[in-house]
Amino acid sequence: MQNNKNTWNDLVSNWTQMDGDIMNDSNQIKNLKEQLKNRKTSNAIELFLGLIFASALSGYIIYEIVSGLPSVMDYTLYSGVLTIILISALVLVSMKSKRLKGKAENSLDYINLLYKQALVTQMILKVSKYACVSLFLLCYGIIIWVFFLWLPSDHVIARPIMALILVSFVSVFFPSLYFWIKAQQTKNHNYIQQLKMLINDITV
Amino acid sequence: MNANTDKDFDFVISKYRKSLYKVAATFESDPDFLQDLHQDILFAIWKAIPGFKNKSSLHTFIYRVAYNQAINHVTKSSKVIHNQNDSNDVDHLINNNISEPDHYTSLQLEGQMLIAMIRQLPIVKRQLITLSLEGFSYKEIAEISGLKLNNVAVQLTRTKQQLRKILENEYAK
């Protein structure tokens, strides 16, 4: 017992003595504070610019919708883009939200909070994946409708070139987005597993 | 950030910077990532200080935020299980420097070895052992970790035994 106590006391003394090894340079502390201040400023700037951009873009889209669009297809497309912008703005705000770490009462609370957030993220990613496939099909539908049914047939050269450019863009953009979302889903799934393990460790 | 918060943060930096560095070191072995984590922890505390409502002591509040940030770091970077690397760290320290005669270096080395051994423990046990090394009572540890008081005692005893076993194994190699 005495031996155990000595070992523990040795560990405590090693732990405490380490403080002497960590630099106590006042310049280093000053630099650290400067870095933290810069980080806070750049975070605020990122949030501000992001929100300005989202507001300007969504304002423009709402203005276009209110002014009137030529077809139902346009309304669908504009509403889709508006939804994506608003969701991105919400994600940005929640990512930069303050004091989350201080709000949780303890580590278990915090891990549970992260777990719930990760589950919501997984759900959003799942919906986004379906939305991506739907938008992909919708874009193809619009291209076919515009170029083969709606556009007058006298645009002999412009029609196939424009159609080719749009088809190429849609064929690259949406599959890339789909696979990126899928990769995020796998990453988030692993993250959920890590959190589950931690919750089990604490509650068992 | 108002002047009071700034003053509180200055106090936190001067009083807790070194302890928080050690906490970060038990979660990250790579020196560059360790610096980042240390900075992340201080940044999280800076952001959290205005929300401090005196429900708990500032001491437990600081460590609560620090551990939350460390947990964030370790789960996001998928480093919950990295025992192999840390076991190698300890081997490296023992094989290369243990016979170093200089007292100061040997103290430094023992500290580094202790941290590398703590890193071999599961996260929850890492938290319990470092809080205990920092001199927190069982009640305070329970408050920070979210474990029940009697569970803290049980887990901490087991963790100490596990740490001793790691220590014995490392020296037996």
Side-chain angles (χ1 to χ4, degrees):
Chain A
M1 185 68 189
Q2 187 60 35
N3 191 26
N4 283 352
K5 204 172 176 193
N6 283 344
T7 316
W8 177 248
N9 287 342
D10 286 346
L11 291 182
V12 173
S13 114
N14 282 341
W15 182 261
T16 316
Q17 278 164 340
M18 252 187 295
D19 282 355
D21 303 328
I22 301 167
M23 291 275 282
N24 196 19
D25 182 6
S26 59
N27 276 336
Q28 202 197 19
I29 298 173
K30 208 177 155 191
N31 285 343
L32 182 70
K33 282 185 73 180
E34 278 303 311
Q35 280 171 352
L36 293 174
K37 264 182 191 158
N38 290 342
R39 221 163 119 176
K40 196 173 161 65
T41 314
S42 69
N43 266 6
I45 290 172
E46 273 171 36
L47 182 64
F48 179 72
L49 289 178
L51 287 180
I52 289 279
F53 181 71
S55 319
L57 210 57
S58 45
Y60 169 72
I61 291 171
I62 291 168
Y63 170 76
E64 287 286 328
I65 292 173
V66 171
S67 306
L69 292 167
S71 69
V72 180
M73 283 287 192
D74 290 296
Y75 277 108
T76 315
L77 206 62
Y78 273 62
S79 308
V81 174
L82 184 64
T83 314
I84 290 170
I85 292 166
L86 292 178
I87 289 172
S88 309
L90 280 176
V91 169
L92 182 73
V93 171
S94 72
M95 274 170 67
K96 305 276 176 191
S97 68
K98 290 176 179 180
R99 301 171 201 170
L100 178 69
K101 290 165 194 80
K103 268 187 179 168
E105 289 296 318
N106 51 51
S107 297
L108 178 60
D109 261 9
Y110 184 66
I111 295 164
N112 277 322
L113 194 70
L114 290 179
Y115 182 67
K116 280 176 198 158
Q117 278 181 345
L119 288 180
V120 173
T121 309
Q122 195 71 349
M123 184 90 83
I124 291 171
L125 287 169
K126 203 174 170 185
V127 172
S128 308
K129 216 166 75 175
Y130 289 123
C132 183
V133 174
S134 311
L135 279 172
F136 178 65
L137 295 174
L138 182 72
C139 284
Y140 262 118
I142 290 173
I143 290 168
I144 291 168
W145 181 71
V146 169
F147 286 96
F148 298 97
L149 302 173
W150 181 74
L151 208 67
S153 55
D154 51 351
H155 296 283
V156 183
I157 300 172
R159 195 163 66 171
I161 291 173
M162 279 307 291
L164 190 70
I165 291 170
L166 284 174
V167 165
S168 310
F169 173 74
V170 169
S171 307
V172 171
F173 179 75
F174 284 104
S176 309
L177 188 64
Y178 178 85
F179 287 115
W180 181 80
I181 294 171
K182 218 176 159 188
Q184 294 305 311
Q185 232 182 341
T186 313
K187 212 169 140 188
N188 197 51
H189 175 76
N190 292 338
Y191 178 51
I192 290 172
Q193 294 309 314
Q194 304 265 32
L195 293 170
K196 252 189 198 171
M197 264 169 59
L198 268 178
I199 293 169
N200 281 342
D201 276 356
I202 295 180
T203 48
V204 165
Chain B
M1 179 162 287
N2 60 38
N4 264 351
T5 312
D6 219 11
K7 224 168 110 186
D8 287 344
F9 187 66
D10 282 350
F11 169 74
V12 169
I13 282 212
S14 61
K15 191 172 178 196
Y16 294 101
R17 191 177 62 91
K18 290 179 177 182
S19 299
L20 294 175
Y21 185 85
K22 289 185 288 183
V23 167
T26 61
F27 282 88
E28 182 56 69
S29 54
D30 184 287
D32 291 334
F33 288 129
L34 170 59
Q35 291 297 336
D36 286 347
L37 176 59
H38 186 220
Q39 211 182 87
D40 285 346
I41 286 173
L42 292 172
F43 191 57
I45 291 169
W46 194 8
K47 283 202 289 182
I49 280 179
F52 174 60
K53 297 275 189 284
N54 286 316
K55 278 185 193 165
S56 58
S57 69
L58 180 68
H59 195 49
T60 52
F61 177 79
I62 297 290
Y63 280 87
R64 200 176 75 204
V65 178
Y67 277 103
N68 289 348
Q69 185 59 45
I71 286 167
N72 220 14
H73 171 84
V74 90
T75 48
K76 282 248 162 93
S77 57
S78 307
K79 282 191 173 178
V80 172
I81 302 160
H82 58 159
N83 299 2
Q84 188 57 48
N85 289 342
D86 293 315
S87 175
N88 291 341
D89 283 353
V90 182
D91 289 347
H92 175 78
L93 288 167
I94 291 176
N95 294 334
N96 293 306
N97 296 301
I98 201 67
S99 57
E100 178 62 59
D102 179 46
H103 179 65
Y104 179 77
T105 314
S106 119
L107 278 181
Q108 219 176 14
L109 180 70
E110 279 169 11
Q112 282 175 27
M113 274 178 56
L114 175 60
I115 280 182
M117 283 187 293
I118 292 173
R119 272 202 301 265
Q120 290 183 54
L121 297 168
I123 288 181
V124 177
K125 289 184 174 172
R126 260 185 255 180
Q127 183 182 27
L128 296 181
I129 207 85
T130 45
L131 286 172
S132 185
L133 285 165
E134 281 293 333
F136 280 91
S137 68
Y138 283 5
K139 192 171 169 268
E140 287 170 321
I141 295 175
E143 206 179 300
I144 294 170
S145 64
L147 263 78
K148 295 213 165 61
L149 195 59
N150 54 349
N151 201 8
V152 169
V154 173
Q155 294 279 349
L156 204 50
T157 310
R158 285 184 195 159
T159 310
K160 283 177 185 174
Q161 284 167 354
Q162 202 176 338
L163 195 62
R164 201 170 59 239
K165 215 173 260 177
I166 294 171
L167 189 73
E168 284 165 5
N169 284 344
E170 292 301 338
Y171 277 100
K173 276 179 188 173

